[in-house]
Each structure stands twice: as structure tokens, then as C-alpha cells.
Amino acid sequence: MLDTILSALLPMVVTFLLGFVAAWRHDFEAKDASTLNRMVLLYAVPLALFAGTVTTSPRALSQDIPLVIALCVAIIGLYGVVFLLSRIVLHMEVSTCALAALTASAPAVPFVGPAVLGDLFGGLSAIPIAIASLVINLTVVPITILLLALDSTGRDRQETTPVANEGEHSVPSPGSYVSVFAAKFAETVKEPIVWVPVLAFIIVLSGFRIPQLLVHSLALLGHASGGVALFACGIVLASGKIKINRYVWFFVFLKNIVQPAMVLGVLRWIGYANPIVSEAALTTAIPAMPIVIMFALQYRIAQAEAASAVFLSVMGSVVTMGVFIALTH
């Protein structure tokens, strides 16, 4: 059991620490992390998602409807709850709420799913990886990008709006809000990380088969996405300040413990058994997505908190995911 846990999780931790050491030795700087970030978001992750999705058969997806429902509720439901909690109770900005919700709800399946779940389930891991990646990249990631873009636009408008009289600001018309939303929505749809999974999902549903040679060619760069993303996270963490507060601890606690525990408990209470229970629980037990840091860098929102949350989630997953592996095997 210990060997299984370490073989699944140790590569994540080592890659993260290598990025930290590389920045500490001044081999890389924070600006280099931004370059790696751009490569991962524009090329590596979209290619990995496309290659992983188009190899999934519609029959396999239809046979795992309970797993699809469980992952949808666990990811989308928790995202909505955390966003509303952060906004209404904690009074955070919209962009910070979006990052917090993504941190707490979205496991890093598109990045490290093949390495972690592949060691645990072998060939059977393709189904939970494909389902979780589709759920994340068709729902919470586009929503997060849209919210970040809208909030950044709103802040820019407030900073540049002239004051007509002292204490009196011009109020944008409802039509302007609609036009801004439409423009940002169009920009979001154009992001490769958004439209590539949609295209792959349409190809799967249509029954069209992509030649394996082409899939293999596209997957080469995609395989680098998890390692490069974690390496860049280590650079960001070493280049900036670590900022761990009660909110960071809270969102990491939700991601690493509450989400997989709820999936495990509810599925067993309903009456399901392995492999559905173990696949769903261990998929959600994977730590937070490195893309959280990438979005924080891109939109300059809570960068220290985002890096600290991903760091704690990855390091803590050695213990928390080990516990869930023991509970489900």
C-alpha cells in the first residue's frame, strides 16, 4: 500500500520541489514561469485533453453514468457553494471567489491524472480521467476565466471612469454591461483550453474515430503538461512570498478532505461499491489544479495565496490521498 501511494504521488511532489529549487538557484525567474504558463495553457493542456478525450468511446461513457453524475455534483456543486460562500459570507472580490472555488472543487486530473490514477487503476483509469477532465474543462474552468475577465474589466472601468463631480461617478448603462459580457464570453470561448475539449467531446459523440497515429503525435507535448505546470508552480512559490492564512487552509481542507470524503460517504450510503466508489473518491482526492496559479498570474489576483494553496494541497495530498487509497482498496 505504501509503495502504491508513493509511486502515485511522489512524482508530483518531486517535480514541484524541483521547480522551487531551480528558482532558488536562480536558474529560473518568475518571468520564466509566465512563459511556461503560456505554453501549458495554449498548447500542452489542450493537446493532452484532446488526446485523452478522443480515445474514449461513447459506450464507455454511457456505462459509467453514476460516475459521471458523482463527479459532476462533486465538482460543479462544490464550485457553486464555495463561490457563494466566499462572496456572500467572506465578502471577497468576484475574481478571488472564482479562484477560491476552482481551488476547492477542481482536482488536477487533466495535469496529473494519468500519473496518479494510472498507477492505481491501470487501463481502467482512462474513464475517470476523461470524465473528470470533461467536467472541469467544460464547466468550472470556462466559468472561472469568464468571471476573472469580467472582474478585471470592471476594475479597469472603475479606475478609468472620470469623476463628473466630487463624489459622483458616471454609471454604466445596462447595455454596456451586456456588451462587455458578450465580448468577454467570446474571448473565453476562443481560449484553446475551452474549445479544444468541446471539439473532442463532439468527435466522441459523433462516433468519428481519430487515427491513433495522429492522437499519439498530439499526445507527446500533452504528456509534458502536468510536469511543466507543477515545475512552474514551484518557480512561482520560490519567486514570491508564501502567504498562508485561514482562508488558504480552509479551501485546501475543502479540496483535500471534504470533497473526497463526501463523495466516498454518499456513494457508499446509496449502495455503490468498487470500482465506482474508488474511482470517484480518488479522482476528487487529487490535489488542486496548478492552473489556479496560472490564472492568478495572468490576471494578477491573489498570486501568493494561490501558490500557497496549491503547494499545501500537493504536499498534503501525500497524507490525505494516502488515507483515501487505504479506505477504498
Side-chain angles (χ1 to χ4, degrees), residues 41-62:
L41 288 180
L42 291 180
Y43 292 96
V45 171
L47 288 175
L49 292 172
F50 184 84
T53 303
V54 295
T55 54
T56 306
S57 67
R59 182 180 178 183
L61 291 176
S62 64

mmCIF file with all atom_site columns, all heavy atoms in Angstrom, residues 41-62:
data_model
loop_
_atom_site.group_PDB
_atom_site.id
_atom_site.type_symbol
_atom_site.label_atom_id
_atom_site.label_alt_id
_atom_site.label_comp_id
_atom_site.label_asym_id
_atom_site.label_entity_id
_atom_site.label_seq_id
_atom_site.pdbx_PDB_ins_code
_atom_site.Cartn_x
_atom_site.Cartn_y
_atom_site.Cartn_z
_atom_site.occupancy
_atom_site.B_iso_or_equiv
_atom_site.pdbx_formal_charge
_atom_site.auth_seq_id
_atom_site.auth_comp_id
_atom_site.auth_asym_id
_atom_site.auth_atom_id
_atom_site.pdbx_PDB_model_num
ATOM 1   N N   . LEU A 1 41 ? -0.946  26.525 -21.037 1.00 0.00 ? 41 LEU A N   1
ATOM 2   C CA  . LEU A 1 41 ? -2.348  26.873 -21.254 1.00 0.00 ? 41 LEU A CA  1
ATOM 3   C C   . LEU A 1 41 ? -2.734  26.853 -22.731 1.00 0.00 ? 41 LEU A C   1
ATOM 4   O O   . LEU A 1 41 ? -3.849  26.459 -23.081 1.00 0.00 ? 41 LEU A O   1
ATOM 5   C CB  . LEU A 1 41 ? -2.642  28.257 -20.673 1.00 0.00 ? 41 LEU A CB  1
ATOM 6   C CG  . LEU A 1 41 ? -2.693  28.357 -19.148 1.00 0.00 ? 41 LEU A CG  1
ATOM 7   C CD1 . LEU A 1 41 ? -2.987  29.798 -18.734 1.00 0.00 ? 41 LEU A CD1 1
ATOM 8   C CD2 . LEU A 1 41 ? -3.735  27.434 -18.569 1.00 0.00 ? 41 LEU A CD2 1
ATOM 9   N N   . LEU A 1 42 ? -1.817  27.295 -23.603 1.00 0.00 ? 42 LEU A N   1
ATOM 10  C CA  . LEU A 1 42 ? -2.158  27.411 -25.023 1.00 0.00 ? 42 LEU A CA  1
ATOM 11  C C   . LEU A 1 42 ? -1.936  26.122 -25.803 1.00 0.00 ? 42 LEU A C   1
ATOM 12  O O   . LEU A 1 42 ? -2.628  25.881 -26.804 1.00 0.00 ? 42 LEU A O   1
ATOM 13  C CB  . LEU A 1 42 ? -1.345  28.536 -25.665 1.00 0.00 ? 42 LEU A CB  1
ATOM 14  C CG  . LEU A 1 42 ? -1.683  29.962 -25.225 1.00 0.00 ? 42 LEU A CG  1
ATOM 15  C CD1 . LEU A 1 42 ? -0.806  30.966 -25.952 1.00 0.00 ? 42 LEU A CD1 1
ATOM 16  C CD2 . LEU A 1 42 ? -3.149  30.283 -25.472 1.00 0.00 ? 42 LEU A CD2 1
ATOM 17  N N   . TYR A 1 43 ? -1.007  25.291 -25.361 1.00 0.00 ? 43 TYR A N   1
ATOM 18  C CA  . TYR A 1 43 ? -0.645  24.124 -26.170 1.00 0.00 ? 43 TYR A CA  1
ATOM 19  C C   . TYR A 1 43 ? -0.712  22.807 -25.395 1.00 0.00 ? 43 TYR A C   1
ATOM 20  O O   . TYR A 1 43 ? -1.430  21.883 -25.795 1.00 0.00 ? 43 TYR A O   1
ATOM 21  C CB  . TYR A 1 43 ? 0.756   24.311 -26.764 1.00 0.00 ? 43 TYR A CB  1
ATOM 22  C CG  . TYR A 1 43 ? 0.815   25.404 -27.801 1.00 0.00 ? 43 TYR A CG  1
ATOM 23  C CD1 . TYR A 1 43 ? 1.224   26.691 -27.467 1.00 0.00 ? 43 TYR A CD1 1
ATOM 24  C CD2 . TYR A 1 43 ? 0.439   25.160 -29.115 1.00 0.00 ? 43 TYR A CD2 1
ATOM 25  C CE1 . TYR A 1 43 ? 1.262   27.707 -28.421 1.00 0.00 ? 43 TYR A CE1 1
ATOM 26  C CE2 . TYR A 1 43 ? 0.478   26.162 -30.069 1.00 0.00 ? 43 TYR A CE2 1
ATOM 27  C CZ  . TYR A 1 43 ? 0.883   27.429 -29.721 1.00 0.00 ? 43 TYR A CZ  1
ATOM 28  O OH  . TYR A 1 43 ? 0.905   28.422 -30.664 1.00 0.00 ? 43 TYR A OH  1
ATOM 29  N N   . ALA A 1 44 ? 0.062   22.683 -24.313 1.00 0.00 ? 44 ALA A N   1
ATOM 30  C CA  . ALA A 1 44 ? 0.228   21.373 -23.678 1.00 0.00 ? 44 ALA A CA  1
ATOM 31  C C   . ALA A 1 44 ? -1.079  20.814 -23.127 1.00 0.00 ? 44 ALA A C   1
ATOM 32  O O   . ALA A 1 44 ? -1.464  19.682 -23.442 1.00 0.00 ? 44 ALA A O   1
ATOM 33  C CB  . ALA A 1 44 ? 1.278   21.475 -22.568 1.00 0.00 ? 44 ALA A CB  1
ATOM 34  N N   . VAL A 1 45 ? -1.778  21.597 -22.297 1.00 0.00 ? 45 VAL A N   1
ATOM 35  C CA  . VAL A 1 45 ? -3.021  21.095 -21.695 1.00 0.00 ? 45 VAL A CA  1
ATOM 36  C C   . VAL A 1 45 ? -4.108  20.852 -22.744 1.00 0.00 ? 45 VAL A C   1
ATOM 37  O O   . VAL A 1 45 ? -4.763  19.801 -22.723 1.00 0.00 ? 45 VAL A O   1
ATOM 38  C CB  . VAL A 1 45 ? -3.518  22.051 -20.588 1.00 0.00 ? 45 VAL A CB  1
ATOM 39  C CG1 . VAL A 1 45 ? -4.913  21.655 -20.122 1.00 0.00 ? 45 VAL A CG1 1
ATOM 40  C CG2 . VAL A 1 45 ? -2.557  22.025 -19.413 1.00 0.00 ? 45 VAL A CG2 1
ATOM 41  N N   . PRO A 1 46 ? -4.369  21.797 -23.684 1.00 0.00 ? 46 PRO A N   1
ATOM 42  C CA  . PRO A 1 46 ? -5.377  21.483 -24.713 1.00 0.00 ? 46 PRO A CA  1
ATOM 43  C C   . PRO A 1 46 ? -5.069  20.217 -25.501 1.00 0.00 ? 46 PRO A C   1
ATOM 44  O O   . PRO A 1 46 ? -5.976  19.425 -25.778 1.00 0.00 ? 46 PRO A O   1
ATOM 45  C CB  . PRO A 1 46 ? -5.340  22.726 -25.619 1.00 0.00 ? 46 PRO A CB  1
ATOM 46  C CG  . PRO A 1 46 ? -4.893  23.832 -24.726 1.00 0.00 ? 46 PRO A CG  1
ATOM 47  C CD  . PRO A 1 46 ? -3.906  23.196 -23.790 1.00 0.00 ? 46 PRO A CD  1
ATOM 48  N N   . LEU A 1 47 ? -3.788  19.996 -25.851 1.00 0.00 ? 47 LEU A N   1
ATOM 49  C CA  . LEU A 1 47 ? -3.432  18.785 -26.585 1.00 0.00 ? 47 LEU A CA  1
ATOM 50  C C   . LEU A 1 47 ? -3.625  17.539 -25.723 1.00 0.00 ? 47 LEU A C   1
ATOM 51  O O   . LEU A 1 47 ? -4.090  16.497 -26.214 1.00 0.00 ? 47 LEU A O   1
ATOM 52  C CB  . LEU A 1 47 ? -1.985  18.864 -27.068 1.00 0.00 ? 47 LEU A CB  1
ATOM 53  C CG  . LEU A 1 47 ? -1.730  19.839 -28.225 1.00 0.00 ? 47 LEU A CG  1
ATOM 54  C CD1 . LEU A 1 47 ? -0.239  19.908 -28.535 1.00 0.00 ? 47 LEU A CD1 1
ATOM 55  C CD2 . LEU A 1 47 ? -2.505  19.433 -29.465 1.00 0.00 ? 47 LEU A CD2 1
ATOM 56  N N   . ALA A 1 48 ? -3.283  17.635 -24.445 1.00 0.00 ? 48 ALA A N   1
ATOM 57  C CA  . ALA A 1 48 ? -3.478  16.494 -23.545 1.00 0.00 ? 48 ALA A CA  1
ATOM 58  C C   . ALA A 1 48 ? -4.957  16.165 -23.404 1.00 0.00 ? 48 ALA A C   1
ATOM 59  O O   . ALA A 1 48 ? -5.353  14.988 -23.399 1.00 0.00 ? 48 ALA A O   1
ATOM 60  C CB  . ALA A 1 48 ? -2.862  16.797 -22.175 1.00 0.00 ? 48 ALA A CB  1
ATOM 61  N N   . LEU A 1 49 ? -5.793  17.188 -23.283 1.00 0.00 ? 49 LEU A N   1
ATOM 62  C CA  . LEU A 1 49 ? -7.234  16.972 -23.156 1.00 0.00 ? 49 LEU A CA  1
ATOM 63  C C   . LEU A 1 49 ? -7.813  16.374 -24.426 1.00 0.00 ? 49 LEU A C   1
ATOM 64  O O   . LEU A 1 49 ? -8.668  15.476 -24.378 1.00 0.00 ? 49 LEU A O   1
ATOM 65  C CB  . LEU A 1 49 ? -7.927  18.295 -22.835 1.00 0.00 ? 49 LEU A CB  1
ATOM 66  C CG  . LEU A 1 49 ? -7.621  18.890 -21.459 1.00 0.00 ? 49 LEU A CG  1
ATOM 67  C CD1 . LEU A 1 49 ? -8.210  20.286 -21.335 1.00 0.00 ? 49 LEU A CD1 1
ATOM 68  C CD2 . LEU A 1 49 ? -8.166  17.994 -20.366 1.00 0.00 ? 49 LEU A CD2 1
ATOM 69  N N   . PHE A 1 50 ? -7.360  16.873 -25.563 1.00 0.00 ? 50 PHE A N   1
ATOM 70  C CA  . PHE A 1 50 ? -7.881  16.365 -26.828 1.00 0.00 ? 50 PHE A CA  1
ATOM 71  C C   . PHE A 1 50 ? -7.498  14.893 -27.010 1.00 0.00 ? 50 PHE A C   1
ATOM 72  O O   . PHE A 1 50 ? -8.347  14.046 -27.322 1.00 0.00 ? 50 PHE A O   1
ATOM 73  C CB  . PHE A 1 50 ? -7.324  17.191 -27.988 1.00 0.00 ? 50 PHE A CB  1
ATOM 74  C CG  . PHE A 1 50 ? -7.880  16.798 -29.331 1.00 0.00 ? 50 PHE A CG  1
ATOM 75  C CD1 . PHE A 1 50 ? -9.089  17.315 -29.771 1.00 0.00 ? 50 PHE A CD1 1
ATOM 76  C CD2 . PHE A 1 50 ? -7.198  15.909 -30.151 1.00 0.00 ? 50 PHE A CD2 1
ATOM 77  C CE1 . PHE A 1 50 ? -9.607  16.945 -31.005 1.00 0.00 ? 50 PHE A CE1 1
ATOM 78  C CE2 . PHE A 1 50 ? -7.707  15.537 -31.387 1.00 0.00 ? 50 PHE A CE2 1
ATOM 79  C CZ  . PHE A 1 50 ? -8.916  16.058 -31.811 1.00 0.00 ? 50 PHE A CZ  1
ATOM 80  N N   . ALA A 1 51 ? -6.221  14.582 -26.800 1.00 0.00 ? 51 ALA A N   1
ATOM 81  C CA  . ALA A 1 51 ? -5.758  13.209 -26.989 1.00 0.00 ? 51 ALA A CA  1
ATOM 82  C C   . ALA A 1 51 ? -6.415  12.256 -26.005 1.00 0.00 ? 51 ALA A C   1
ATOM 83  O O   . ALA A 1 51 ? -6.758  11.118 -26.352 1.00 0.00 ? 51 ALA A O   1
ATOM 84  C CB  . ALA A 1 51 ? -4.239  13.152 -26.849 1.00 0.00 ? 51 ALA A CB  1
ATOM 85  N N   . GLY A 1 52 ? -6.619  12.719 -24.767 1.00 0.00 ? 52 GLY A N   1
ATOM 86  C CA  . GLY A 1 52 ? -7.234  11.850 -23.772 1.00 0.00 ? 52 GLY A CA  1
ATOM 87  C C   . GLY A 1 52 ? -8.718  11.641 -23.990 1.00 0.00 ? 52 GLY A C   1
ATOM 88  O O   . GLY A 1 52 ? -9.262  10.584 -23.658 1.00 0.00 ? 52 GLY A O   1
ATOM 89  N N   . THR A 1 53 ? -9.391  12.641 -24.561 1.00 0.00 ? 53 THR A N   1
ATOM 90  C CA  . THR A 1 53 ? -10.845 12.567 -24.727 1.00 0.00 ? 53 THR A CA  1
ATOM 91  C C   . THR A 1 53 ? -11.242 11.772 -25.959 1.00 0.00 ? 53 THR A C   1
ATOM 92  O O   . THR A 1 53 ? -12.160 10.945 -25.913 1.00 0.00 ? 53 THR A O   1
ATOM 93  C CB  . THR A 1 53 ? -11.451 13.987 -24.806 1.00 0.00 ? 53 THR A CB  1
ATOM 94  O OG1 . THR A 1 53 ? -11.089 14.718 -23.629 1.00 0.00 ? 53 THR A OG1 1
ATOM 95  C CG2 . THR A 1 53 ? -12.960 13.911 -24.907 1.00 0.00 ? 53 THR A CG2 1
ATOM 96  N N   . VAL A 1 54 ? -10.577 12.005 -27.089 1.00 0.00 ? 54 VAL A N   1
ATOM 97  C CA  . VAL A 1 54 ? -11.000 11.359 -28.338 1.00 0.00 ? 54 VAL A CA  1
ATOM 98  C C   . VAL A 1 54 ? -10.767 9.852  -28.326 1.00 0.00 ? 54 VAL A C   1
ATOM 99  O O   . VAL A 1 54 ? -11.329 9.132  -29.156 1.00 0.00 ? 54 VAL A O   1
ATOM 100 C CB  . VAL A 1 54 ? -10.278 11.970 -29.565 1.00 0.00 ? 54 VAL A CB  1
ATOM 101 C CG1 . VAL A 1 54 ? -10.681 13.416 -29.748 1.00 0.00 ? 54 VAL A CG1 1
ATOM 102 C CG2 . VAL A 1 54 ? -8.763  11.832 -29.429 1.00 0.00 ? 54 VAL A CG2 1
ATOM 103 N N   . THR A 1 55 ? -9.951  9.358  -27.394 1.00 0.00 ? 55 THR A N   1
ATOM 104 C CA  . THR A 1 55 ? -9.732  7.919  -27.298 1.00 0.00 ? 55 THR A CA  1
ATOM 105 C C   . THR A 1 55 ? -10.775 7.229  -26.434 1.00 0.00 ? 55 THR A C   1
ATOM 106 O O   . THR A 1 55 ? -10.730 6.009  -26.260 1.00 0.00 ? 55 THR A O   1
ATOM 107 C CB  . THR A 1 55 ? -8.333  7.630  -26.720 1.00 0.00 ? 55 THR A CB  1
ATOM 108 O OG1 . THR A 1 55 ? -8.178  8.315  -25.471 1.00 0.00 ? 55 THR A OG1 1
ATOM 109 C CG2 . THR A 1 55 ? -7.252  8.098  -27.671 1.00 0.00 ? 55 THR A CG2 1
ATOM 110 N N   . THR A 1 56 ? -11.709 8.008  -25.859 1.00 0.00 ? 56 THR A N   1
ATOM 111 C CA  . THR A 1 56 ? -12.778 7.449  -25.030 1.00 0.00 ? 56 THR A CA  1
ATOM 112 C C   . THR A 1 56 ? -13.984 7.136  -25.900 1.00 0.00 ? 56 THR A C   1
ATOM 113 O O   . THR A 1 56 ? -14.435 7.984  -26.678 1.00 0.00 ? 56 THR A O   1
ATOM 114 C CB  . THR A 1 56 ? -13.168 8.435  -23.913 1.00 0.00 ? 56 THR A CB  1
ATOM 115 O OG1 . THR A 1 56 ? -11.994 8.797  -23.174 1.00 0.00 ? 56 THR A OG1 1
ATOM 116 C CG2 . THR A 1 56 ? -14.189 7.811  -22.984 1.00 0.00 ? 56 THR A CG2 1
ATOM 117 N N   . SER A 1 57 ? -14.531 5.962  -25.755 1.00 0.00 ? 57 SER A N   1
ATOM 118 C CA  . SER A 1 57 ? -15.686 5.566  -26.563 1.00 0.00 ? 57 SER A CA  1
ATOM 119 C C   . SER A 1 57 ? -16.982 6.036  -25.914 1.00 0.00 ? 57 SER A C   1
ATOM 120 O O   . SER A 1 57 ? -17.078 6.102  -24.685 1.00 0.00 ? 57 SER A O   1
ATOM 121 C CB  . SER A 1 57 ? -15.726 4.044  -26.723 1.00 0.00 ? 57 SER A CB  1
ATOM 122 O OG  . SER A 1 57 ? -15.976 3.423  -25.479 1.00 0.00 ? 57 SER A OG  1
ATOM 123 N N   . PRO A 1 58 ? -18.012 6.372  -26.717 1.00 0.00 ? 58 PRO A N   1
ATOM 124 C CA  . PRO A 1 58 ? -19.308 6.751  -26.150 1.00 0.00 ? 58 PRO A CA  1
ATOM 125 C C   . PRO A 1 58 ? -19.908 5.647  -25.288 1.00 0.00 ? 58 PRO A C   1
ATOM 126 O O   . PRO A 1 58 ? -20.585 5.925  -24.292 1.00 0.00 ? 58 PRO A O   1
ATOM 127 C CB  . PRO A 1 58 ? -20.165 7.015  -27.393 1.00 0.00 ? 58 PRO A CB  1
ATOM 128 C CG  . PRO A 1 58 ? -19.192 7.285  -28.493 1.00 0.00 ? 58 PRO A CG  1
ATOM 129 C CD  . PRO A 1 58 ? -17.976 6.473  -28.178 1.00 0.00 ? 58 PRO A CD  1
ATOM 130 N N   . ARG A 1 59 ? -19.658 4.404  -25.651 1.00 0.00 ? 59 ARG A N   1
ATOM 131 C CA  . ARG A 1 59 ? -20.189 3.279  -24.881 1.00 0.00 ? 59 ARG A CA  1
ATOM 132 C C   . ARG A 1 59 ? -19.606 3.261  -23.473 1.00 0.00 ? 59 ARG A C   1
ATOM 133 O O   . ARG A 1 59 ? -20.314 2.999  -22.484 1.00 0.00 ? 59 ARG A O   1
ATOM 134 C CB  . ARG A 1 59 ? -19.878 1.969  -25.591 1.00 0.00 ? 59 ARG A CB  1
ATOM 135 C CG  . ARG A 1 59 ? -20.434 0.736  -24.882 1.00 0.00 ? 59 ARG A CG  1
ATOM 136 C CD  . ARG A 1 59 ? -20.087 -0.531 -25.648 1.00 0.00 ? 59 ARG A CD  1
ATOM 137 N NE  . ARG A 1 59 ? -20.578 -1.699 -24.951 1.00 0.00 ? 59 ARG A NE  1
ATOM 138 C CZ  . ARG A 1 59 ? -20.374 -2.944 -25.351 1.00 0.00 ? 59 ARG A CZ  1
ATOM 139 N NH1 . ARG A 1 59 ? -19.682 -3.179 -26.470 1.00 0.00 ? 59 ARG A NH1 1
ATOM 140 N NH2 . ARG A 1 59 ? -20.849 -3.968 -24.657 1.00 0.00 ? 59 ARG A NH2 1
ATOM 141 N N   . ALA A 1 60 ? -18.299 3.528  -23.378 1.00 0.00 ? 60 ALA A N   1
ATOM 142 C CA  . ALA A 1 60 ? -17.662 3.535  -22.065 1.00 0.00 ? 60 ALA A CA  1
ATOM 143 C C   . ALA A 1 60 ? -18.230 4.641  -21.189 1.00 0.00 ? 60 ALA A C   1
ATOM 144 O O   . ALA A 1 60 ? -18.453 4.455  -19.985 1.00 0.00 ? 60 ALA A O   1
ATOM 145 C CB  . ALA A 1 60 ? -16.153 3.707  -22.218 1.00 0.00 ? 60 ALA A CB  1
ATOM 146 N N   . LEU A 1 61 ? -18.494 5.815  -21.786 1.00 0.00 ? 61 LEU A N   1
ATOM 147 C CA  . LEU A 1 61 ? -19.082 6.915  -21.027 1.00 0.00 ? 61 LEU A CA  1
ATOM 148 C C   . LEU A 1 61 ? -20.489 6.576  -20.569 1.00 0.00 ? 61 LEU A C   1
ATOM 149 O O   . LEU A 1 61 ? -20.878 6.878  -19.438 1.00 0.00 ? 61 LEU A O   1
ATOM 150 C CB  . LEU A 1 61 ? -19.085 8.190  -21.876 1.00 0.00 ? 61 LEU A CB  1
ATOM 151 C CG  . LEU A 1 61 ? -17.727 8.833  -22.179 1.00 0.00 ? 61 LEU A CG  1
ATOM 152 C CD1 . LEU A 1 61 ? -17.892 10.020 -23.110 1.00 0.00 ? 61 LEU A CD1 1
ATOM 153 C CD2 . LEU A 1 61 ? -17.045 9.267  -20.894 1.00 0.00 ? 61 LEU A CD2 1
ATOM 154 N N   . SER A 1 62 ? -21.278 5.951  -21.441 1.00 0.00 ? 62 SER A N   1
ATOM 155 C CA  . SER A 1 62 ? -22.666 5.625  -21.093 1.00 0.00 ? 62 SER A CA  1
ATOM 156 C C   . SER A 1 62 ? -22.740 4.562  -20.011 1.00 0.00 ? 62 SER A C   1
ATOM 157 O O   . SER A 1 62 ? -23.708 4.525  -19.244 1.00 0.00 ? 62 SER A O   1
ATOM 158 C CB  . SER A 1 62 ? -23.414 5.158  -22.343 1.00 0.00 ? 62 SER A CB  1
ATOM 159 O OG  . SER A 1 62 ? -22.850 3.957  -22.852 1.00 0.00 ? 62 SER A OG  1
#
